[in-house]
Amino acid sequence: MGVNGAFGRWSSCLLVLLCILGIYTTPAVSVKKENFKTCDQSGFCKRNRAYADTVTSTSGFKSPYTLEAASVKFDHGVLSGTVIKSLADGATVRLPLTVALFDSGVARVTLDEEKRKKGEIELRHGSKARKDRYNEAEKWAIVGGTKLSSGAATKAAGKGVTSVVYGPESKFEAIITNSPFAVEFKRDGETQIKFNDKLYMNYEHWRPKIDKPVAEKKEGEEAPPEDTTGEDESTWWDESFGGNTDSKPRGPEAVALDISFPGYEHVFGAAEHTGSLSLKETRGGDGKFSDPYRLYNSDVFEYEMDSPMTLYGSIPFVQAHKKDSTVGVLWLNAAETWIDVTKSTASTNPLSLGIGAKTTTNTHWISESGLLDVFVFLGPKPQDVIGAYSELTGYTQLPQHFAIAYHQCRWNYVTDEDVKDVDRKFDKHRIPYDVIWLDIEYTHEKEYFTWDPMTFPDPLTMQKQLDGHERKLVYIIDPHIKNTDNYPVVDELKSKDLATHNKDDNIYEGWCWPGSSHWVDAFNPKAHDWWKTLFRYDKFKGTAKNSWLWNDMNEPSVFNGPETTMPKDNLHHGKWEHRDVHNLNGLTFVNATYNALLARDKEEEKHNVRPFVLTRSFYSGSQRMGAMWTGDNQAIWSHLEASIPMLLSLNIAGFPFAGADVGGFFGNPSKELLTRWYQAGAFYPFFRGHAHIDTRRREPYLAGEPYTGIITQALRLRYSLLPAWYTAFHEASTTGAPIIRPQYYVHPSDEKGSAIDDQFYVGSTGLLAKPVTVEGAESQEIYLADKETYYDYFDFWTYEGPGKEKVAAPLDTIPLLMQGGHIIPRRDRPRRSSGLMKWDPFTLVVVIGHSGDAEGNLYLDDGESFGFQEGAYIHRKFAFSTATDSLQSEDLAPTGTSTSKKAKAYLASMAQVHVEKIIVVGAPNAWKSKAMVQVSETTSGSSSAATREVPFEFVAKDEGKAAYAVVKNPGIAIGVGWKVQF
């Protein structure tokens, strides 16, 4: 190859080694903030913040945006028109407007730019990029809920104003004002959301670059003063950061809009960030941030706490909440986005000293490119907003059952024998787990779709051992493909031209774990077709049917790129610039992997199984494909504490299948911290222990007693409650409901608890958890929002709400309460994995509250196939009535659901699965003398079977512990109707 070639290869090796050593070893310090932009370093953010400041400080500021009255039309649920932007030189810019009203009650406001849309602009540097604004985000993010409203209608309004009523019973109203252009949304006549109320809207139109003459300095004269009267053009045409220069061939093209929530004190969402669930103000001051919340998916290791800094994923969806009212907006834009949050308080009476004052939250959204495209949700309940958002972007995947159990991971299990040894030791110590994971070291020299022949010579035998106990293997495959010789995958990628291109429209080369790499362009449909072929069992030899996938580094992470990612002027399929689609990149890659895993051989082509894929990077809609985790956290107490509001934020943002690395990825946790983290992790929807390659091994059996025993208890608690968790996942997959639920969601009328983010409810079970996240803590103070009885999960100690209750929490105890009025299904027999619990009997815990009644649900299916879509499932409602002293099981499946062949086969397979115990907590004293209860079962084709008596045990109240009763072996099948008469 000659001297230059040899030097190039040595330089390449050195560069990637420095990247790995300098960035990805366990650092002594936290995140390198200097590697990531602040708003002041992001040209479009700084410009639009300055624009907002100018508007605020200018008396009588006149917005340049006016809706042209003659252009306004309304037809079949769509209002259209043209917004005119008036320029200082007298010219105008035409911005086509669409306001669409949907049957779901959702509204959508879209603003485009006519000149770019028609391609009537010139690109600089001979760029081959698209000329129009990116308009395909909905192709990836939106899947439903967009049927236009047939009932929407205009109504009389004042001059220069158009009013449209829509939504359920026409209770919603959109009021569009012509000058200055603004939109107001009302529900039941009360204003809920305002667009451009503060006049911050700014649509950076296309304009040619005009090179201004530089005045010559004559000898003996001072240099002419700099012209500061015009706009700051310093970052319009190019922008440099960290040694990289963005060529910006389309010039400035940012879009910005202020969205206000009158009367709303709290705004939640804008995941993913650290910090409180209720978003903080971002314009400086005590307890406030000085930078906006940033959405720009990035590889940020050892991220800092309580920060608006960007992380791995972006969901540009926020909800505003006040007593008995929740509303929300989705900002559908995949480019880099910043969100300023400010609050103002006003009182109707200046002498009221703040009593009765109302707080308004103002948000200022700023995106670098693309359309101004906003969806509006008017509630009024939290579930109304989250449900409508989920219908729009897709419900979370109903995962395979194993996926909601415990996952054991580290970077890296070093050989196939190492994997088998860990598997055996879990069994030896009687610790349940379902999945073991392999990080990048399993590959041959970081070449994906290969096995290292020295360390993993026999992967099939390894997977066979796991399969013996119904366990799975997850291996990692990232979007960077090693650029090397004799590697068929990269040869195909290049020959088929399926990689992302650079600004010159050649295949882009960057650096990641393998060294020189190319990136799969998952925006290209042909790349999806090719990607599917790589996962076939006969293509990726050594993979088995119990192996699944982990997609990491898909922001994308590029070690030598600007902000550790891809240059914004790179080109994707369709000639869209990377700046337009950046936050969608991870979603498209996971989408390709998900579809590839649906069928890896001919048998699976006929009978798809549900894929399992974990992603680090995500966007609205990623929830349809699998799970996510919060990335490279640290083994310190503050990161354990932060995991709870982070996961709550994701749950209310439509992505509930979320978790954090248990134990912390970087560093070595103390045994107390590791134990407390497992106790918290037992309540993460996605439950995985993970650690960095330089950390000490920390499998639960290595902790030693009492820690191993306490961790095992936490794991067994998770496994016993898997029926409740799976039911919560089913609810999320059909309604979008969060799996772990914050206070405001469960108690929307309770203003005191709206911002609480360190405790949560599990699904609809009434289980209220507050994991210990502080070193040395022996107790927890739990806030009870309602006038209801709560019971300690483990000993039935009684607490009465509303108010705060101190709950004992020594190291071996998880603060976990049961809210009265619920029935919790569980399986109590300890097993090695969840797959071995499939035919185990159930225990029903009936928790009686103030009303004396209780109810709960149970959902079951085969836990792996899509047979549930053909009725192959069991869905039961359990209801206890104090009026009749009876507990009944009712079928929740729609009539006719169980008639398919698959449904009948599944129900037949579950015929012998029964309820082995019923525990009634808070049992009435009137039962004290009972020794027997009557049980009757409804069988197929008959009204009921004969009534029989079964033994009954009553345990009286003991000090603060509630009375309870136990029905043992009632002999009733889980899948049919029955009645227990007390």
Side-chain angles (χ1 to χ4, degrees), residues 633-673:
N633 58 0
Q634 299 181 58
I636 54 180
W637 287 93
S638 61
H639 278 244
L640 167 58
E641 182 180 13
S643 70
I644 294 173
M646 289 179 77
L647 296 183
L648 287 174
S649 179
L650 286 153
N651 268 259
I652 64 168
F655 204 157
F657 197 4
D661 284 344
V662 170
F665 180 67
F666 285 111
N668 296 298
S670 67
K671 291 185 178 181
E672 180 191 0
L673 174 57

Side-chain angles (χ1 to χ4, degrees), residues 755-787:
I756 291 176
D757 57 12
D758 58 357
Q759 62 183 55
F760 52 86
Y761 292 83
V762 177
S764 298
T765 63
L767 287 170
L768 174 59
K770 187 172 184 179
V772 174
T773 59
V774 177
E775 186 175 13
E778 291 288 327
S779 65
Q780 283 282 63
E781 189 174 73
I782 299 183
Y783 176 72
L784 306 179
D786 53 340
K787 186 176 177 58

Side-chain angles (χ1 to χ4, degrees), residues 188-254:
D188 292 324
E190 183 180 345
T191 299
Q192 308 293 331
I193 298 173
K194 290 183 175 182
F195 286 6
N196 203 34
D197 184 56
K198 299 179 76 65
L199 306 182
Y200 294 170
M201 189 175 97
N202 187 28
Y203 216 100
E204 293 185 340
H205 62 281
W206 182 82
R207 77 287 317 265
K209 183 180 181 184
I210 300 174
D211 294 319
K212 298 179 180 178
V214 179
E216 292 185 17
K217 176 185 173 184
K218 296 182 180 178
E219 189 174 348
E221 294 182 359
E222 292 186 5
E226 184 179 346
D227 180 11
T228 58
T229 59
E231 295 181 86
D232 177 11
E233 298 184 19
S234 61
T235 55
W236 279 10
W237 310 110
D238 56 57
E239 189 169 354
S240 296
F241 182 81
N244 292 273
T245 298
D246 177 5
S247 63
K248 295 192 172 182
R250 298 185 302 229
E253 53 181 325

Side-chain angles (χ1 to χ4, degrees), residues 458-738:
D458 191 3
L460 287 176
T461 297
M462 171 184 67
Q463 289 164 90
K464 185 177 180 180
Q465 177 177 313
L466 297 175
D467 194 44
H469 292 146
E470 295 282 343
R471 290 179 178 142
K472 318 296 178 186
L473 177 76
V474 169
Y475 54 90
I476 195 168
I477 288 185
D478 295 339
H480 50 261
I481 303 298
K482 185 175 183 178
N483 182 27
T484 188
D485 297 331
N486 302 314
Y487 180 30
V489 175
V490 79
D491 292 341
E492 290 182 18
L493 179 73
K494 290 191 285 189
S495 67
K496 295 176 183 290
D497 194 18
L498 300 176
T500 301
H501 284 204
N502 60 24
K503 64 182 179 181
D504 299 319
D505 207 19
N506 298 314
I507 291 180
Y508 170 70
E509 180 185 7
W511 294 85
C512 207
W513 295 121
S516 172
S517 301
H518 302 305
W519 274 258
V520 179
D521 184 5
F523 290 91
N524 188 340
K526 292 182 179 179
H528 282 235
D529 294 339
W530 171 70
W531 197 244
K532 288 179 184 179
T533 68
L534 301 179
F535 289 89
R536 306 283 293 190
Y537 298 122
D538 57 2
K539 185 78 176 279
F540 186 5
K541 296 188 184 299
T543 55
K545 289 182 180 288
N546 63 331
S547 63
W548 300 100
L549 258 292
W550 174 14
N551 286 161
D552 196 359
M553 313 295 282
N554 51 335
E555 293 77 23
S557 176
V558 182
F559 291 167
N560 63 331
E563 299 193 88
T564 323
T565 192
M566 195 172 279
K568 288 180 175 178
D569 49 10
N570 272 8
L571 296 175
H572 288 275
H573 175 72
K575 304 303 180 190
W576 294 111
E577 279 197 296
H578 185 71
R579 85 178 72 252
D580 300 319
V581 302
H582 175 85
N583 288 340
L584 276 169
N585 191 85
L587 181 154
T588 65
F589 185 63
V590 175
N591 191 25
T593 300
Y594 177 92
N595 288 326
L597 295 179
L598 284 169
R600 289 179 276 179
D601 63 12
K602 290 184 178 180
E603 179 187 347
E604 291 179 3
E605 286 173 1
K606 296 177 183 177
H607 306 288
N608 291 163
V609 290
R610 293 175 239 168
F612 173 75
V613 188
L614 178 74
T615 182
R616 187 170 73 176
S617 181
F618 54 88
Y619 189 74
S620 294
S622 293
Q623 69 272 8
R624 303 188 302 266
M625 276 75 78
M628 62 74 62
W629 92 108
T630 61
D632 297 343
N633 58 0
Q634 299 181 58
I636 54 180
W637 287 93
S638 61
H639 278 244
L640 167 58
E641 182 180 13
S643 70
I644 294 173
M646 289 179 77
L647 296 183
L648 287 174
S649 179
L650 286 153
N651 268 259
I652 64 168
F655 204 157
F657 197 4
D661 284 344
V662 170
F665 180 67
F666 285 111
N668 296 298
S670 67
K671 291 185 178 181
E672 180 191 0
L673 174 57
L674 183 65
T675 302
R676 289 300 195 188
W677 215 319
Y678 268 96
Q679 291 175 338
F683 292 92
Y684 294 168
F686 175 61
F687 184 15
R688 182 184 74 154
H690 187 34
H692 188 276
I693 196 169
D694 290 337
T695 62
R696 294 190 292 270
R697 295 290 280 259
R698 60 166 94 130
E699 289 75 24
Y701 50 77
L702 295 176
E705 295 301 339
Y707 307 101
T708 293
I710 298 171
I711 291 170
T712 302
Q713 288 175 10
L715 286 162
R716 287 182 178 168
L717 175 63
R718 171 64 168 231
Y719 275 72
S720 70
L721 286 171
L722 282 177
W725 281 100
Y726 197 61
T727 301
F729 269 88
H730 172 260
E731 186 180 357
S733 74
T734 54
T735 71

